Amino acid sequence: MADTLEQAIAKAHEYNPQLKGTQFLARSADAAVARAKGAYGPSLAVSVRHEYTFDRTTLNDLAFDEQGFGTTASLSLLQPLFTSGRLASGLDGARAGRMIARENLRAASQQLMLDVVNAYASVQRDLTLFRVARDIHALLAQQSNVTAARFRLRDSTRPDLDQTTNRLEIAAGRVIRARAAVETSAARYRNIVGTYPSDLAALPDLAPIPPLADLYARADANNPQVRAARYTALRSRAAVASARAAMGPQVSAFASVERAPLTPYQNTRRVERLLAGVSLAMPLHSGGQLLAALQEAEQRNLADIQFAEQTRRDVRETLATDWNLYRAAAEALPRFEAAVRAAESAVAGVKRQEMAGIRTLREVLDVTNDLLTARTSAAETRAELFIRKIAVLRDAGLLSPELFNVDSSPRGAVLAADSAEQPFIPAGLPLRPLLDPIDRILSNGRVPQVPVQIENEGTYLWEDGTEALEKPSP
């Protein structure tokens, strides 16, 4: 039973280690959000210490020794009340980091699908090219036998025989190289999918590609690289707010209970202490460190904003490249298929004419080489057409496992981060819903903006003269 592209994509999504690793990174980003939420809640710690103490006190000629065991136990509680936006900015940064990880997971899934398609179509293409090379070698071997027989009958010359042998040996070399290309593509397929390919079914039919202008708009909204770059700018903006919060007051409530011996040598006489209160801390001078940290965060945010636009430009360039190559393959494939039909007819006709003495051996070899070129170009363009179609969908952010009827559940390979284990008590409770809006009162992630040159050019207009090309022959 032949393997289908859908089966290959499903298998890669289930077992590919690169995608699995990206899933774990997404889960770690979810855990970072839970940790940022937990910072709003109270922290409770217990400490127990049992120790042996030996002291020797010397007064003039007298020495006094004291020794014994003492046990100290304490329980402390700390609850932040107001952090000038430090907790809020930390949560915002963690949430942005989670979105970055999820967009990276989407990008990894889309790239994996493109890699599978590339490997799948490459194996099919190279198998076709191997069969083409083998067929051409068989044609030339047949022509070589005919030429050798005519040479023995003195109906052809030694140069004719040498020329045929030359083309035959070149064809044999092409067969050897084509075989190596098949094995190389199969190894690439095994790397991505996890197994060598068996019989591969035909590539599926997909919906037509939208116009380039629509794809640009969809890429701006859906491309995971563009979205991740924008979330990166949001994360660095949260870092600006965190740097400002470090300059403001930090208010916390604390309480502790302690039981300790009066002396470290025994536990019979002890003191029990309860302590509770509110503390306020605020840096007054740091030698310029806090200001420098704020400036550093601001510059990083400005850089991330520029990088987001550069990422958008890179995506638009890649999309335009893939779309134009896809369009070129779609327009060129009927031409190459027509060339194959014409070359096959020409080979048959010229061989008959050569036997009748109307054509020369060189013309037979030339049309045979034309047939090789036409069949090779058709096979390569057919694979290129499908690969570029998938690449365009990837660039626009429209590529998804559902397009190939592949399960996208956590077991499948997409956004498994939500399946992470949750704590028994939700992070940050019970005071996070109350403290979060209070903490955001002074949270300030504003950065003096620098203009960003947005590139929105459409189609490149130029006179290519392709209107003069005739339509391919039926």
Side-chain angles (χ1 to χ4, degrees):
M1 184 175 181
D3 289 341
T4 65
L5 179 60
E6 292 82 356
Q7 291 172 341
I9 290 176
K11 187 181 299 182
H13 271 75
E14 188 168 359
Y15 299 114
N16 184 269
Q18 181 69 31
L19 185 63
K20 289 293 184 182
T22 310
Q23 288 179 7
F24 287 123
L25 291 178
R27 293 185 182 185
S28 70
D30 269 7
V33 172
R35 178 165 56 87
K37 291 180 178 179
Y40 282 94
S43 58
L44 186 64
V46 62
S47 174
V48 178
R49 188 175 63 206
H50 183 69
E51 57 188 6
Y52 169 78
T53 304
F54 174 83
D55 289 333
R56 172 168 290 177
T57 304
T58 303
L59 298 175
N60 295 329
D61 295 334
L62 299 177
F64 302 92
D65 293 341
E66 292 183 289
Q67 59 180 324
F69 290 90
T71 302
T72 302
S74 64
L75 182 68
S76 60
L77 175 69
L78 181 64
Q79 171 64 61
L81 299 178
F82 180 73
T83 64
S84 300
R86 178 177 59 84
L87 295 179
S89 60
L91 180 57
D92 291 343
R95 284 171 171 166
R98 177 174 62 184
M99 297 309 298
I100 293 171
R102 291 187 174 186
E103 293 302 331
N104 290 339
L105 182 55
R106 282 187 61 225
S109 174
Q110 293 182 355
Q111 184 60 46
L112 179 62
M113 284 184 281
L114 178 58
D115 290 341
V116 172
V117 168
N118 199 334
Y120 192 98
S122 295
V123 172
Q124 287 187 327
R125 176 201 63 204
D126 292 338
L127 285 171
T128 300
L129 294 179
F130 174 75
R131 288 190 288 267
V132 169
R134 191 176 56 188
D135 292 345
I136 295 299
H137 179 268
L139 286 174
L140 291 173
Q142 182 183 12
Q143 185 63 40
S144 178
N145 292 334
V146 172
T147 304
R150 294 177 62 182
F151 177 76
R152 288 192 295 271
L153 296 174
R154 300 184 183 279
D155 192 32
S156 64
T157 63
R158 169 61 66 178
D160 291 336
L161 182 60
D162 291 341
Q163 190 177 28
T164 305
T165 303
N166 168 263
R167 295 292 182 94
L168 180 63
E169 293 303 323
I170 292 176
R174 289 197 183 102
V175 172
I176 295 172
R177 296 180 61 179
R179 181 188 63 193
V182 171
E183 294 173 349
T184 301
S185 296
R188 176 63 178 165
Y189 184 97
R190 178 191 61 179
N191 179 11
I192 297 171
V193 179
T195 59
Y196 275 122
S198 57
D199 295 333
L200 298 181
L203 294 171
D205 293 330
L206 299 179
I209 296 295
L212 183 57
D214 294 344
L215 292 172
Y216 279 146
R218 297 190 184 190
D220 282 349
N222 299 317
N223 183 276
Q225 294 179 353
V226 173
R227 291 170 61 88
R230 290 168 180 164
Y231 284 125
T232 300
L234 291 178
R235 182 172 62 180
S236 62
R237 183 174 180 177
V240 173
S242 179
R244 282 203 178 95
M247 300 178 178
Q250 313 287 316
V251 181
S252 301
F254 63 90
S256 64
V257 178
E258 184 181 31
R259 181 176 183 177
L262 285 177
T263 64
Y265 316 112
Q266 47 77 38
N267 285 319
T268 56
R269 302 175 63 188
R270 55 185 177 269
V271 60
E272 295 174 348
R273 181 180 296 109
L274 172 64
L275 185 65
V278 177
S279 66
L280 184 146
M282 181 176 178
L284 298 179
H285 179 69
S286 63
Q289 295 183 64
L290 295 178
L291 179 60
L294 175 60
Q295 293 173 345
E296 178 186 0
E298 289 177 342
Q299 297 306 310
R300 286 185 181 275
N301 180 245
L302 293 175
D304 287 338
I305 293 174
Q306 298 291 335
F307 292 154
E309 170 59 20
Q310 184 58 55
T311 300
R312 177 178 171 274
R313 293 188 181 192
D314 293 341
V315 168
R316 285 167 62 87
E317 178 190 358
T318 303
L319 175 57
T321 300
D322 289 330
W323 188 83
N324 282 291
L325 291 175
Y326 163 75
R327 184 182 63 173
E331 295 177 357
L333 183 58
R335 306 278 181 167
F336 290 132
E337 291 175 341
V340 170
R341 293 191 295 269
E344 289 174 343
S345 177
V347 168
V350 172
K351 286 178 67 175
R352 288 194 301 269
Q353 292 174 347
E354 192 268 341
M355 294 295 293
I358 302 175
R359 297 278 188 166
T360 65
L361 175 62
R362 180 181 181 86
E363 290 176 303
V364 174
L365 297 178
D366 286 342
V367 295
T368 304
N369 191 64
D370 291 342
L371 176 59
L372 169 65
T373 301
R375 292 182 64 182
T376 300
S377 298
E380 291 175 343
T381 305
R382 192 173 293 108
E384 177 80 1
L385 177 62
F386 193 82
I387 292 172
R388 292 299 173 181
K389 190 172 190 177
I390 299 301
V392 167
L393 295 175
R394 186 277 311 267
D395 300 336
L398 304 178
L399 189 59
S400 66
E402 289 79 9
L403 188 65
F404 301 97
N405 298 318
V406 175
D407 181 22
S408 62
S409 63
R411 185 177 177 273
V414 183
L415 292 190
D418 289 331
S419 63
E421 294 183 3
Q422 300 297 324
F424 179 73
I425 300 177
L429 294 183
L431 296 182
R432 181 172 62 84
L434 175 64
L435 297 180
D436 185 67
I438 296 176
D439 203 56
R440 294 182 183 276
I441 294 176
L442 296 183
S443 181
N444 182 7
R446 290 190 297 271
V447 177
Q449 294 300 308
V450 175
V452 179
Q453 183 64 38
I454 304 297
E455 182 273 307
N456 272 319
E457 291 290 333
T459 304
Y460 178 57
L461 301 177
W462 64 295
E463 296 295 333
D464 55 10
T466 54
E467 297 82 1
L469 295 177
E470 296 181 358
K471 293 184 178 180
S473 302

